[in-house]
Amino acid sequence: MAKFEGLDTPKGLGSLNQHLADRSYIEGYTPSSADVEVFSQINAAPDSSKNPHVARWWNHIASFAENERKAWAAPVAETKAAAPIPAEKKEDDFDLFGEDSAADDEWEKEVQRRADEHAAKKKAAGKGPGVLKSAIIIDVKPWDDTTDLAELEKLVRGIEMDGLEWKASKLVAIGYGIKKLQISCHVEDDKVSVDDIQDKIAAYEDFVQSTDISSFTKL
């Protein structure tokens, strides 16, 4: 696991800020014990004007209850990057927003595993079906490589709807130096329309080129 020291100093927070510039979590694609360990070393909310990536990460981790953070497992190892595109492949044939690498499959499997685990715990506890919920993974694609993805994620997480709860996220390389934001959420089916979520994200038209639903799973 990446080690960070002196998180009570500007230098230490600066190092962590650089680490989180293109990551949603300390290690892997979902919150883990690594996040808990680093989070415990920071005593107050970081200054977003000085360390915006740390502030964004800290606020996200702080949004979880202490008992939820204690239940997080060890980090999921990152998958090796996808092989480069063969030189002979024509540029016209390149799908800029095409299928992602095996890393995406690994992350989606982890989200699905956690959803299944949650459903199994509810069943074991003898709870009825109750409120119907779904776990959704949304791909948010920027216009180009100059888009501020940290600000984009902040805007997306700022969308509030009754029955909507934002979960894990990550940045995924899609070609030519461009990355997309892949973010998951839980929704109450009777209250939240997926189309409404996409419309609200698309409203940030200076940041968002398009959105797609990568995964939709009933909880």
Side-chain angles (χ1 to χ4, degrees), residues 2 6 25 34 58 67 90 92 94 125 134 162 205 217:
Y25 300 103
W58 192 94
N67 62 329
K90 295 181 180 179
D92 291 343
F94 181 70
S134 298
D162 185 22
E205 54 188 21
T217 306

Side-chain angles (χ1 to χ4, degrees), residues 4-18 51 54:
F4 299 94
E5 298 179 352
L7 294 180
D8 56 345
T9 67
K11 181 178 179 181
L13 285 176
S15 176
L16 179 59
N17 191 66
Q18 184 176 5
N51 296 292
V54 177

Side-chain angles (χ1 to χ4, degrees), residues 52-53 56 147-157 207:
H53 305 301
R56 178 257 307 164
T147 301
D148 186 339
L149 297 180
E151 180 64 19
L152 172 58
E153 181 175 355
K154 181 179 178 181
L155 292 171
V156 172
R157 290 190 181 278
F207 291 82

Side-chain angles (χ1 to χ4, degrees), residues 66-185:
E66 184 176 357
N67 62 329
E68 289 182 290
R69 294 196 294 266
K70 288 182 178 180
W72 290 345
V76 176
E78 295 190 15
T79 308
K80 292 182 179 179
I85 300 172
E88 64 271 15
K89 186 175 179 62
K90 295 181 180 179
E91 184 174 342
D92 291 343
D93 294 336
F94 181 70
D95 183 0
L96 185 60
F97 295 125
E99 292 299 318
D100 299 319
S101 68
D104 299 315
D105 294 334
E106 197 65 32
W107 185 69
E108 290 183 19
K109 287 178 182 177
E110 176 63 13
V111 172
Q112 179 64 56
R113 184 191 69 77
R114 289 173 184 253
D116 291 343
E117 185 179 84
H118 177 69
K121 287 181 178 179
K122 286 175 62 178
K123 183 177 180 180
K127 295 182 180 179
V131 177
L132 296 178
K133 290 186 176 183
S134 298
I136 305 168
I137 298 176
I138 304 173
D139 287 346
V140 184
K141 301 164 186 174
W143 287 107
D144 53 40
D145 60 349
T146 65
T147 301
D148 186 339
L149 297 180
E151 180 64 19
L152 172 58
E153 181 175 355
K154 181 179 178 181
L155 292 171
V156 172
R157 290 190 181 278
I159 295 173
E160 296 182 354
M161 301 172 66
D162 185 22
L164 168 65
E165 183 181 4
W166 294 110
K167 294 294 185 179
S169 64
K170 68 170 181 174
L171 300 180
V172 181
I174 51 180
Y176 294 111
I178 303 175
K179 294 182 179 181
K180 67 181 177 183
L181 170 66
Q182 197 168 66
I183 187 166
S184 63
C185 62

Side-chain angles (χ1 to χ4, degrees), residues 25-89:
Y25 300 103
I26 300 300
E27 298 285 348
Y29 309 119
T30 57
S32 69
S33 58
D35 294 278
V36 177
E37 181 177 335
V38 176
F39 181 80
S40 67
Q41 298 177 51
I42 303 176
N43 297 323
D47 187 340
S48 61
S49 65
K50 296 179 181 178
N51 296 292
H53 305 301
V54 177
R56 178 257 307 164
W57 166 82
W58 192 94
N59 289 331
H60 176 49
I61 300 302
S63 69
F64 292 90
E66 184 176 357
N67 62 329
E68 289 182 290
R69 294 196 294 266
K70 288 182 178 180
W72 290 345
V76 176
E78 295 190 15
T79 308
K80 292 182 179 179
I85 300 172
E88 64 271 15
K89 186 175 179 62

